[in-house]
Amino acid sequence: MSVSPDLNRRTLLRRAAAAGLLVTPAVGLLSACAGSTPNESDNNAGEKSNDNPFGLQDGSAVKVVIFNGGLGDAWAKEDQAIFSAKHPNVTVNMSSTQKIKTEEQPKMATQPSDLIMNSGADLMDLSTLVNEGAIEPLDDLLAAPAWDSEGTVADSLLPGTVSDGTFQGKFFVVYVAFTVWGNWYNGALFDREGWAPPKTFDEFFTLAPQIKAKGIAPYVYDAVHGYYPRWALMASIWKSAGKQAVVDIDNLKENAWRAEGILPALEAWEKLVKDKLVLPGKLDHTQSQQAWLDGKAAFIQVGTWLKNEMAATIPPGFEMKLSDYWGVTAADKAPKDVFAGAGEGFVVPSKAPNKAAAKEFLRAVVSKAGSAKFAELTKSLASTKGSGDNVQDPALATANELMKNAGSDLISVKLWDFYADLDKESQNLSQELMAGRLTAAQFVDKMQAAADKVAKDSSITKQTRNA
């Protein structure tokens, strides 16, 4: 996964069921958290030091919930070992699930888990958690000494990790994976056929007939989860229209969706669909990825969790390589900017019984040792600097190379974290466009109307993005 995202695939990854949050019984429970004061027991308060910055007390226990998706959970067990080596008298109760919202949200107003990896399709809506005071600000974690390196925790994190987890001026979410998104292809196939991976849509459209002549679909994508195609659409918009256009979209600026460069970006995807360059069938993420591995399609767009998620079915001799999203036109404003960022976010509930232990566990997760194990086991970068330095993996190497040649800004989008309604609408419209049931112009009109509706709704707390 996630290098969450989901991304934040599942940064990630992002709230496929966000709207469902608004109608579940747990919303009333979350509301009870608003304005709540920390209720951490004094029994969990120990003496503070550089090695124990939150005053974690021996004899206490911490409950940690891991999202067991494309990244698996083996890396988290390594973090548990690292934590327990320093705090052998603290009990770690770790569990793994893919049903984060279903299992954890009902407990948020009573006695929640201490640390929750809020990721996957069934995750809790982040904007609701923040707005209702259901999760703890973690600015003190950023200021704490790094576990096993110089400086603070904040100093140890890759660019964008802190800003991605910051809402309303406070740091709430610790994203532990650093995902690079783009177009994956089989290097062995391309070498055998003498094909060069395209850098622009025009080059792709020129290559596509050659690919089809070999009985291969030029492109495949997850047609079930709307946030998958949305990554590609938003990456193209950023490259074509530039960073400021996306910042304006996130900030609900009037007519932001009508900025110069946005329509051509979407029209390129409309042409890809109209030219019948997509593998037929409504495939989900693993089905589309398997079809690509089986040689039924030449390209698939997804993040760097791909290899770990599909490790069991990668054919012998298949060379996973990642290339950047294709440029749109010669007038692109940000052609070298790469879609990358932190994902797979951990949150600490405001009513967690042992917040000190939760924060200390997070220090271990983003430690030099923990992040190195993460990269080794998942073949994806962690959000800690240098995590992949000693990992020898060809697929990860192509992601690293892409990052080395990236522009000055990393592509990032906030609207799906800021507003649940826009998250849902943008997913639905992305699916409609990629299914050929919506034109690029109609996509723009509908997204602008949805943004206007949110902007005019005084009951919705507005978020602001500066960079």
Side-chain angles (χ1 to χ4, degrees):
M1 287 196 244
S2 263
V3 162
S4 315
D6 201 307
L7 134 252
N8 214 190
R9 144 167 123 212
R10 300 161 162 93
T11 44
L12 260 269
L13 259 159
R14 298 234 206 262
R15 298 197 319 272
L21 184 80
L22 302 177
V23 296
T24 55
V27 166
L29 298 179
L30 281 174
S31 297
C33 292
S36 62
T37 56
N39 72 334
E40 186 173 346
S41 170
D42 291 339
N43 294 331
N44 290 329
E47 185 176 350
K48 295 182 179 181
S49 66
N50 279 344
D51 271 345
N52 187 15
F54 308 111
L56 172 60
Q57 187 176 47
D58 281 351
S60 64
V62 59
K63 180 170 176 54
V64 180
V65 179
I66 302 298
F67 171 70
N68 189 7
L71 293 174
D73 61 1
W75 58 273
K77 295 173 183 176
E78 295 291 338
D79 293 329
Q80 180 177 353
I82 292 169
F83 175 90
S84 295
K86 180 171 284 191
H87 300 289
N89 297 319
V90 176
T91 301
V92 178
N93 298 311
M94 180 182 289
S95 61
S96 300
T97 183
Q98 292 190 0
K99 298 293 184 181
I100 297 296
K101 184 177 74 171
T102 300
E103 297 176 6
E104 296 302 314
Q105 184 174 298
K107 299 182 289 186
M108 291 295 282
T110 53
Q111 184 157 314
S113 302
D114 297 297
L115 182 61
I116 303 169
M117 185 176 176
N118 187 38
S119 190
D122 185 41
L123 82 172
M124 298 178 288
D125 175 51
L126 189 54
S127 62
T128 302
L129 294 177
V130 171
N131 291 336
E132 297 198 0
I135 55 177
E136 184 81 358
L138 300 173
D139 299 275
D140 54 344
L141 173 65
L142 293 178
W147 185 276
D148 53 4
S149 60
E150 297 296 321
T152 65
V153 169
D155 294 332
S156 71
L157 301 175
L158 285 169
T161 304
V162 174
S163 60
D164 284 348
T166 298
F167 298 84
Q168 300 175 8
K170 295 180 180 180
F171 182 69
F172 286 97
V173 188
V174 180
Y175 290 114
V176 298
F178 198 83
T179 298
V180 181
W181 284 265
N183 294 312
W184 291 87
Y185 65 98
N186 179 1
L189 169 65
F190 275 62
D191 288 345
R192 186 166 62 248
E193 298 295 340
W195 298 336
K199 296 182 179 180
T200 67
F201 269 100
D202 283 346
E203 292 178 2
F204 169 73
F205 290 134
T206 298
L207 178 62
Q210 300 176 52
I211 296 173
K212 292 184 74 173
K214 295 293 181 178
I216 303 171
Y219 191 79
V220 68
Y221 73 102
D222 176 355
V224 174
H225 303 102
Y227 53 86
Y228 271 78
R230 184 180 62 186
W231 288 324
L233 301 185
M234 293 307 299
S236 296
I237 286 173
W238 180 296
K239 284 179 173 291
S240 177
K243 174 182 178 178
Q244 189 59 50
V246 176
V247 171
D248 289 344
I249 285 172
D250 290 338
N251 288 338
L252 303 179
K253 184 177 179 180
E254 187 176 1
N255 287 323
W257 281 95
R258 305 192 192 284
E260 181 182 2
I262 291 180
L263 185 59
L266 296 168
E267 286 174 337
W269 288 103
E270 181 183 352
K271 174 176 171 57
L272 184 149
V273 174
K274 285 187 174 180
D275 288 357
K276 300 187 184 305
L277 303 181
V278 178
L279 183 70
K282 190 172 183 177
L283 308 178
D284 67 16
H285 60 296
T286 53
Q287 291 170 333
S288 58
Q289 289 161 191
Q290 190 58 53
W292 174 69
L293 289 171
D294 291 340
K296 296 178 181 178
F299 289 101
I300 187 169
Q301 76 84 29
V302 72
T304 39
W305 64 83
L306 174 63
K307 184 170 185 178
N308 190 69
E309 188 164 60
M310 305 303 292
T313 59
I314 299 173
F318 196 101
E319 296 179 10
M320 285 188 170
K321 290 191 174 183
L322 179 64
S323 62
D324 196 9
Y325 285 111
W326 305 312
V328 180
T329 70
D332 284 354
K333 294 182 179 180
K336 291 188 176 182
D337 287 359
V338 171
F339 197 169
E344 310 304 330
F346 277 95
V347 296
V348 177
S350 296
K351 293 194 175 184
N354 198 350
K355 290 193 281 289
K359 295 174 186 178
E360 183 69 350
F361 196 92
L362 283 171
R363 270 210 319 145
V365 172
V366 298
S367 68
K368 186 175 180 180
S371 63
K373 277 295 183 182
F374 179 94
E376 175 189 337
L377 293 170
T378 67
K379 303 301 183 290
S380 185
L381 297 177
S383 60
T384 304
K385 296 173 182 175
S387 65
D389 287 354
N390 297 317
V391 179
Q392 302 299 316
D393 179 78
L396 188 57
T398 61
N400 283 333
E401 187 65 22
L402 192 57
M403 289 297 296
K404 288 178 183 178
N405 296 320
S408 58
D409 290 308
L410 295 178
I411 297 172
S412 64
V413 185
K414 301 288 189 180
L415 71 88
W416 46 65
D417 282 332
F418 284 175
Y419 306 109
D421 289 347
L422 288 184
D423 173 38
K424 181 182 178 182
E425 184 70 357
S426 61
Q427 288 191 50
N428 291 341
L429 295 180
S430 296
Q431 288 178 302
E432 291 297 290
L433 177 65
M434 292 301 295
R437 295 188 291 266
L438 202 67
T439 67
Q442 289 170 331
F443 181 100
V444 168
D445 289 342
K446 289 178 179 294
M447 278 306 307
Q448 187 59 63
D452 291 343
K453 182 178 179 181
V454 171
K456 294 174 183 178
D457 190 339
S458 60
S459 70
I460 298 176
T461 301
K462 303 303 188 293
Q463 308 276 2
T464 300
R465 172 183 184 176
N466 296 319

